[in-house]
Amino acid sequence: MSSTTDFDRVARPDRWWRSAVVYQIYPRSFQDSDGDGVGDLPGITSRLDYLAELGVDVIWLSPVYRSPQVDNGYDISDYTEIDPLFGTLADLDELIAAAHTRGIKLVMDLVVNHTSDQHAWFTESRDPSSAKRDWYFWRPARPGSEPGAPGAEPDDSQAAFAPSAWTYDPRSGQYYLGVFSPGQPDLNWENPGVRQAVYAMMRWWVERGVDGFRMDVINLISKPAELTSGRTIEPGQGSLRRVANGPRLDEFLAEMNREVGLDAQNLITVGEMPGATIEVAQRVTDPARRELNMVFTFEHVNLDQVGWNKWDLADLPLPRLKANLAQWQEGLAETGWNSLYYDNHDQPRAVSRFGDDSPEHRVNSAKTLATVLHLHKGTPYIYQGEEFGMTNAPLTQIGHYLDVEALNYHALAAAAGVSEEQILRSLARKGRDHARTPVQWDDTPYAGFTTGVPWMAVNPNYREINAEASRRDPGSVFGHFQQLIRLRHAEEVVREGRFELLLPEHEQLWVFTRTLGDRALLVIANCSSTPAELPPGLPALDGAVLVLGTHPDGATGRLAPWESRLLRLGER
Ligand code: NOJ
């Protein structure tokens, strides 16, 4: 466990997370230390100096708990044990202490909408007479159907990673709910015993020295009345949408905050919330309500799809993306707080998705995208590899994909008659595997990730694109991220300044100001692969100073492809 001295170095003053930059680690792909091809905790500890050099304040660790790994650890079978794949509790203690020594805090992933079907709570719950039966959602077959027969599920809800959200259990002749997959049964938060068990587990981790929680799909924990009353609900609705933002969400979050002492100990809390609107986020992040510090919205990462189906691809004109981020800035300007992200372990790589990952434009588009995001108001999240411009991988056949979501989509779409070509096109654009290729540390075999054979193929572009090369080059994406982090730490206007979007309809330029008292910053970013003229109507630029740019001469009336300028405007 971390010693008191370590803890002092990472004191948590009031609202400290408003000036923090968080770095997400997906442990299985970060750094392997024992040659088994899977990243692990000692591997992370060995890379802490790199993270300190980057300058981040917090590490968010994707799940390392004991797990059958149906969904790479988002299916937990023991909340207070480490999976042997990743190491031991002693390794985690060492990581926390070593991070704290460097002034870096550590956030655990909290996956409590569901457990694994191998969790002891669920094993017990399978027995209809057990006290834990009500800890999960058990339902009979739909009226008039033979339990277990095709089509007899309580309703037609699909799971995110399986054809049905209901799995038949012959022992009791009933079905249990798993909105992600059969290996991830949903916990019944209506049951106070479930809630208290979760809070006790969270307290245990806080005592161990962690600094907060990233809460997996936390807005799904309060199931709608149709489910809790056991009535069969209308078929045909997307299962996640059906269970998002339920009636007792705020009550449960406030209870959790109180019972665990989240605010009382100034822990950082971020709730992942698919389907959360600005209105939900305003409520949940209003400090007076004492629920969460911030949420991960999905709105901006769902703009390049049609409706709730991420595989149904849509074009994304820049004005739509700008407008969405601006609406969230506006919506949470007064009371709440935003999280800022493009990348995580569930999203394709930002530089390939929103930028241009060709050799000509990769570096500048990665920098420009970073400038835009980090100059918004909120807490920025960097996903491993984003800080040196890692790209999507050349995943061209179904055999290249390992993710449960991708494989389920492939099977279902193929059965529904969608052509292989179209399926592969959707997967290549949106698949989660892109984010999960091993981190490219250097140009040695397997990119320095492992001395064994990596669990997932390394992106072949690692010889050109790797952390070591980026670190050594002062004009690199890594150097740019370092400067953005330093700026946030140094400048109150970056942290707290008012946001205003300019030129909302411009198809190439993303332009906005941040102002606080007499301080003002202007961001002008060409988010396209062709040059752009500066249009009239911008704030007066005389006396403006280039604080951070992609190109040395930041004063011309024309921006090169993916050129961006962060300017300090004269005193106002
Ligand atoms: C969201 C996580 O980020 C994702 O990776 C996971 O598959 C689902 N929640 C289910 O836990």
Side-chain angles (χ1 to χ4, degrees), residues 122-143:
F122 186 74
T123 316
E124 219 181 304
S125 175
R126 282 186 188 272
D127 176 354
S129 63
S130 104
K132 297 243 167 24
R133 185 68 169 177
D134 183 51
W135 281 38
Y136 295 84
F137 296 97
W138 291 96
R139 295 289 178 267
R142 78 182 67 186

Side-chain angles (χ1 to χ4, degrees), residues 71 74 111 114 161 180 184 214 216-217 272 345-346 432 436:
D71 186 17
Y74 283 91
V111 187
H114 46 269
F161 313 144
F180 286 95
Q184 295 164 294
R214 174 270 183 187
D216 192 66
V217 290
E272 188 205 27
H345 64 291
D346 294 331
R432 306 194 298 181
R436 301 173 180 191

Side-chain angles (χ1 to χ4, degrees), residues 78-346:
D78 190 333
Y79 287 109
T80 53
E81 273 299 336
I82 301 298
D83 196 282
L85 259 186
F86 301 121
T88 62
L89 267 177
D91 292 331
L92 184 70
D93 290 342
E94 210 173 307
L95 169 60
I96 296 173
H100 283 175
T101 303
R102 290 164 177 79
I104 298 176
K105 298 181 172 71
L106 191 125
V107 160
M108 292 298 270
D109 215 308
L110 180 81
V111 187
V112 290
N113 171 68
H114 46 269
T115 65
S116 160
D117 65 344
Q118 307 298 309
H119 194 289
W121 297 342
F122 186 74
T123 316
E124 219 181 304
S125 175
R126 282 186 188 272
D127 176 354
S129 63
S130 104
K132 297 243 167 24
R133 185 68 169 177
D134 183 51
W135 281 38
Y136 295 84
F137 296 97
W138 291 96
R139 295 289 178 267
R142 78 182 67 186
S145 304
E146 177 65 23
E153 294 82 14
D155 64 54
D156 288 342
S157 308
Q158 289 189 355
F161 313 144
S164 174
W166 296 100
T167 303
Y168 182 59
D169 188 35
R171 175 160 179 191
S172 62
Q174 289 199 327
Y175 294 78
Y176 65 86
L177 180 75
V179 301
F180 286 95
S181 78
Q184 295 164 294
D186 283 54
L187 279 166
N188 177 12
W189 276 66
E190 297 294 319
N191 185 309
V194 167
R195 307 206 296 275
Q196 289 309 325
V198 168
Y199 306 153
M201 174 271 283
M202 292 172 73
R203 287 191 293 262
W204 187 89
W205 280 107
V206 173
E207 274 162 31
R208 218 167 179 97
V210 309
D211 301 285
F213 298 97
R214 174 270 183 187
M215 303 180 184
D216 192 66
V217 290
I218 201 71
N219 65 326
L220 310 189
I221 58 176
S222 165
K223 303 296 192 259
E226 300 88 77
L227 252 189
T228 52
S229 67
R231 280 205 315 274
T232 302
I233 62 125
E234 283 297 301
Q237 303 175 25
S239 57
L240 292 194
R241 183 178 10 187
R242 186 162 63 81
V243 294
N245 313 321
R248 299 182 70 188
L249 175 63
D250 297 281
E251 179 195 336
F252 292 160
L253 290 176
E255 181 184 79
M256 174 197 279
N257 193 323
R258 219 171 38 241
E259 297 270 327
V260 182
L262 296 174
D263 276 10
Q265 298 171 86
N266 282 336
L267 295 157
I268 181 173
T269 54
V270 51
E272 188 205 27
M273 297 204 171
T277 57
I278 291 177
E279 198 194 356
V280 170
Q282 279 167 342
R283 251 184 14 237
V284 164
T285 69
D286 176 350
R289 298 175 62 93
R290 295 189 167 269
E291 296 181 29
L292 301 178
N293 300 152
M294 61 195 114
V295 308
F296 287 134
T297 164
F298 277 65
E299 285 189 1
H300 65 305
V301 290
N302 289 352
L303 291 173
D304 55 3
Q305 70 189 44
V306 178
W308 270 65
N309 182 357
K310 72 181 263 184
W311 309 114
D312 198 352
L313 305 176
D315 285 341
L316 175 52
L318 185 66
R320 286 195 71 202
L321 184 61
K322 294 191 285 191
N324 185 267
L325 265 75
Q327 279 156 17
W328 280 77
Q329 292 285 299
E330 173 116 330
L332 299 180
E334 297 308 325
T335 44
W337 190 251
N338 270 293
S339 69
L340 307 170
Y341 80 96
Y342 303 123
D343 261 348
N344 62 38
H345 64 291
D346 294 331

Side-chain angles (χ1 to χ4, degrees), residues 215-512:
M215 303 180 184
D216 192 66
V217 290
I218 201 71
N219 65 326
L220 310 189
I221 58 176
S222 165
K223 303 296 192 259
E226 300 88 77
L227 252 189
T228 52
S229 67
R231 280 205 315 274
T232 302
I233 62 125
E234 283 297 301
Q237 303 175 25
S239 57
L240 292 194
R241 183 178 10 187
R242 186 162 63 81
V243 294
N245 313 321
R248 299 182 70 188
L249 175 63
D250 297 281
E251 179 195 336
F252 292 160
L253 290 176
E255 181 184 79
M256 174 197 279
N257 193 323
R258 219 171 38 241
E259 297 270 327
V260 182
L262 296 174
D263 276 10
Q265 298 171 86
N266 282 336
L267 295 157
I268 181 173
T269 54
V270 51
E272 188 205 27
M273 297 204 171
T277 57
I278 291 177
E279 198 194 356
V280 170
Q282 279 167 342
R283 251 184 14 237
V284 164
T285 69
D286 176 350
R289 298 175 62 93
R290 295 189 167 269
E291 296 181 29
L292 301 178
N293 300 152
M294 61 195 114
V295 308
F296 287 134
T297 164
F298 277 65
E299 285 189 1
H300 65 305
V301 290
N302 289 352
L303 291 173
D304 55 3
Q305 70 189 44
V306 178
W308 270 65
N309 182 357
K310 72 181 263 184
W311 309 114
D312 198 352
L313 305 176
D315 285 341
L316 175 52
L318 185 66
R320 286 195 71 202
L321 184 61
K322 294 191 285 191
N324 185 267
L325 265 75
Q327 279 156 17
W328 280 77
Q329 292 285 299
E330 173 116 330
L332 299 180
E334 297 308 325
T335 44
W337 190 251
N338 270 293
S339 69
L340 307 170
Y341 80 96
Y342 303 123
D343 261 348
N344 62 38
H345 64 291
D346 294 331
Q347 302 296 331
R349 292 279 179 183
V351 70
S352 302
R353 182 185 199 177
F354 303 119
D356 179 339
D357 63 8
S358 67
E360 197 186 346
H361 296 304
R362 182 187 65 88
V363 166
N364 283 331
S365 70
K367 288 182 183 178
T368 287
L369 287 172
T371 295
V372 166
L373 191 75
H374 284 241
L375 265 296
H376 276 66
K377 184 176 174 185
T379 300
Y381 288 74
I382 301 171
Y383 179 66
Q384 60 185 37
E386 184 181 1
E387 75 279 13
F388 59 91
M390 271 181 69
T391 66
N392 282 351
L395 307 174
T396 52
Q397 322 160 6
I398 191 58
H400 293 156
Y401 290 87
L402 300 178
D403 177 25
V404 57
E405 181 188 55
L407 300 179
N408 173 62
Y409 163 63
H410 180 263
L412 289 187
V418 182
S419 73
E420 186 73 4
E421 194 194 338
Q422 193 178 327
I423 297 173
L424 289 174
R425 199 176 323 122
S426 292
L427 285 171
R429 281 268 293 275
K430 301 294 278 298
R432 306 194 298 181
D433 292 83
H434 289 299
R436 301 173 180 191
T437 59
V439 169
Q440 298 162 206
W441 292 106
D442 54 39
D443 62 3
T444 63
Y446 298 131
F449 164 69
T450 181
T451 53
V453 178
W455 73 278
M456 183 176 190
V458 174
N459 190 323
N461 65 18
Y462 73 92
R463 284 193 191 78
E464 294 77 49
I465 303 173
N466 62 65
E468 198 43 38
S470 203
R471 262 185 70 218
R472 274 191 266 109
D473 169 5
S476 67
V477 180
F478 184 86
H480 197 85
F481 268 89
Q482 279 180 316
Q483 295 193 62
L484 287 169
I485 296 168
R486 271 189 225 123
L487 261 169
R488 174 164 294 269
H489 290 158
E491 302 245 2
E492 204 186 352
V493 62
V494 175
R495 299 192 296 270
E496 303 289 342
R498 197 168 60 82
F499 175 95
E500 189 185 353
L501 183 68
L502 308 178
L503 309 177
E505 301 304 329
H506 204 289
E507 300 276 344
Q508 289 172 284
L509 295 178
W510 199 331
V511 183
F512 56 91

